[in-house]
């Protein structure tokens, strides 16, 4: 009998400190009006000094475990999707395991920038479908504020910090119906944090800034819209579903104009789209599980409903998922 991965519980966490558009307008040449109309963002949360990605992940994971009625001892795999790991190693997943006390189970990080959660969801789904694992904790967590140049108005207004988590449980019913992953490394330079471990943080052949997010926003925007519009159509067709079969669209929260363009392609009213971008900004790998948990907890998403996820980000890496909650 096929074993599916179904969502047993969700959780999320946002750091306490809020940074509004008005606050940013005091620091760089921007305005609340520009940020709202171009992106849909009103505010974002920023991790406190010393507060790390693992700290955010721990809170989100504990809330997801509680919602699922599980303890850490029930978990047999921990996956953390992040671009902003606490340390070079151990992985944030191992650091998180230490906090949760679920010693002995497998734990690893996965990096696919803003698409990290969908990539991790796909891995978890395959572990569960194979029968090798029963209960998987999937966390998307990022402290993107740590890789932002706070003097660069083109990027600093876009991102925020946060974490979201789901407990995926083996079940005879779906659950996760399909996950589709894609990447095209030819676009690496359009969205990147130059510098790193093996290249070194100082790049002799690169004149631009290192260690902070560099984005050709307009080019990313256009490619994101066309790629995502095609992808959501593909995943529905491949599963024999119509737009009308989707109860909730839970997209990556990068720009409200991108989300509106995809919803239009799906002919879905915005009332069926979960948007948290106004309050959270772009939280990278945390963005989808944060939005999911928000709509589960406020009662919009109900058991038995069909959900569509999509994400697009650095790499480029992108993906989509169809689930029944
Ligand atoms: O999650 C990963 C994937 N990321 C994305 O999907 C992000 C995709 N890109 C975007 O969301 C949009 O491209 C942005 C929001 C980043 C920018 O919006 P845009 O409508 O594409 O603006 P633009 O980059 O074409 O810039 C328009 C103008 C420029 O001024 P000039 O050259 O026309 O005089 C910018 O200098 O807006 C200016 N600008 C700003 N003005 C006020 C750029 N950033 C700001 C700012 N405040 N923060």
């Amino acid at each position: 009998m096929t074993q599916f991965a179904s969502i047993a519980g969700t959780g999320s966490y946002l750091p306490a400190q809020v940074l509004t558009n008005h606050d940013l307008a005091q620091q760089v040449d921007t305005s609340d009006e520009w940020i709202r109309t171009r992106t849909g963002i009103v505010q974002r949360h920023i991790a406190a000094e010393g507060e790390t990605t693992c700290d955010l992940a721990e809170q989100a994971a504990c809330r997801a475990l509680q919602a699922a009625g599980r303890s850490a001892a029930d978990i047999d795999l921990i996956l953390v999707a992040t671009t902003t790991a606490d340390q070079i190693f151990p992985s944030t997943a191992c650091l998180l395991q230490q906090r949760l006390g679920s010693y002995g189970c497998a734990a690893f990080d996965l990096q696919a920038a803003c698409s990290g959660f969908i990539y991790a969801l796909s891995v978890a789904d395959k572990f569960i479908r194979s029968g090798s694992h029963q209960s998987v904790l999937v966390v998307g967590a990022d402290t993107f504020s740590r890789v932002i140049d706070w003097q660069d108005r083109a990027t600093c207004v876009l991102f925020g910090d946060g974490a979201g988590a789901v407990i995926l449980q083996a079940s005879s019913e779906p659950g996760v119906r399909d996950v589709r992953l894609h990447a095209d490394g030819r676009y690496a330079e359009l969205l990147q944090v130059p510098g790193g471990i093996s290249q070194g943080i100082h790049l002799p052949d690169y004149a631009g800034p290192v260690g902070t997010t560099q984005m050709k926003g307009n080019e990313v925007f256009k490619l994101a819209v066309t790629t995502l519009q095609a992808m959501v159509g593909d995943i529905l067709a491949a599963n024999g579903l119509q737009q009308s079969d989707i109860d909730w669209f839970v997209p990556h929260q990068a720009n409200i104009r991108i989300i509106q363009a995809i919803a239009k392609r799906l002919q879905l009213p915005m009332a069926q789209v979960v948007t948290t971008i106004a309050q959270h900004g772009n939280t990278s790998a945390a963005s989808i599980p944060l939005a999911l948990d928000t709509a589960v907890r406020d009662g919009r998403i109900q058991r038995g409903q069909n959900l569509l996820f999509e994400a697009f980000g650095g790499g480029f890496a992108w993906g989509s998922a169809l689930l029944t909650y």
Side-chain angles (χ1 to χ4, degrees), residues 28-31 34-35 38-39 113-115 152-159 191 215-222 224 228 252-258 282 284 312-314 316:
V28 288
D29 181 16
T30 190
S31 66
W34 192 95
I35 303 170
R38 295 296 181 114
T39 71
C114 292
S115 299
D152 176 14
R153 69 176 184 174
T155 51
C156 77
V157 302
L158 303 174
F159 295 94
L191 177 51
M215 176 165 69
K216 296 199 169 65
N218 205 266
E219 289 172 62
V220 177
F221 184 96
K222 285 185 216 146
L228 291 171
H252 171 51
Q253 313 280 319
N255 188 316
I256 194 69
R257 294 183 291 135
I258 296 177
N282 181 349
S284 191
F312 185 93
F316 290 148

Side-chain angles (χ1 to χ4, degrees), residues 199-210:
Q199 275 187 312
I201 200 70
H202 300 292
L203 307 175
D205 299 329
Y206 178 77
V210 292

Side-chain angles (χ1 to χ4, degrees), residues 69-270:
R70 301 291 197 289
S71 75
D74 299 326
I75 300 299
D76 51 19
L77 171 63
I78 299 174
L79 294 176
V80 177
T82 187
T83 309
T84 49
D86 282 27
Q87 296 185 202
I88 294 165
F89 72 85
S91 67
T92 306
C94 285
L95 300 177
L96 177 62
Q97 188 202 51
Q98 185 186 43
R99 308 268 189 99
L100 298 176
S102 51
Y103 311 120
C105 76
F108 62 96
D109 285 2
L110 194 154
Q111 204 268 67
C114 292
S115 299
F117 179 74
I118 295 207
Y119 268 68
L121 184 76
S122 173
V123 172
D125 179 48
K126 284 168 176 58
F127 270 74
I128 289 177
R129 277 183 196 255
S130 76
S132 68
H133 290 70
Q134 305 296 312
S135 294
V136 183
L137 165 62
V138 181
V139 183
D142 268 309
T143 44
F144 228 79
S145 62
R146 305 275 154 75
V147 285
I148 293 296
D149 172 357
W150 289 98
Q151 301 306 311
D152 176 14
R153 69 176 184 174
T155 51
C156 77
V157 302
L158 303 174
F159 295 94
D161 300 334
V166 299
I167 309 294
L168 287 174
Q169 184 68 43
S171 162
S172 56
E173 299 281 323
V176 178
R177 291 178 175 276
D178 194 10
V179 190
R180 290 171 171 246
L181 305 179
H182 307 272
D184 191 335
R186 286 174 297 181
Y187 296 107
E189 287 179 6
L190 293 186
L191 177 51
Q192 59 172 339
V193 177
I197 308 307
S198 73
Q199 275 187 312
I201 200 70
H202 300 292
L203 307 175
D205 299 329
Y206 178 77
V210 292
T212 56
T213 302
Q214 310 299 318
M215 176 165 69
K216 296 199 169 65
N218 205 266
E219 289 172 62
V220 177
F221 184 96
K222 285 185 216 146
L223 283 158
V225 169
T226 49
T227 306
L228 291 171
Q229 284 183 330
M231 181 175 62
V232 292
D234 289 347
I235 193 169
L236 289 177
N239 287 276
L241 295 177
Q242 308 291 320
Q243 284 90 331
S244 56
D245 294 317
I246 299 303
D247 295 295
W248 292 103
F249 176 41
V250 188
H252 171 51
Q253 313 280 319
N255 188 316
I256 194 69
R257 294 183 291 135
I258 296 177
I259 295 172
Q260 286 163 341
I262 315 307
K264 193 171 170 198
R265 159 71 181 80
L266 287 167
Q267 297 173 310
L268 267 187
M270 285 304 284

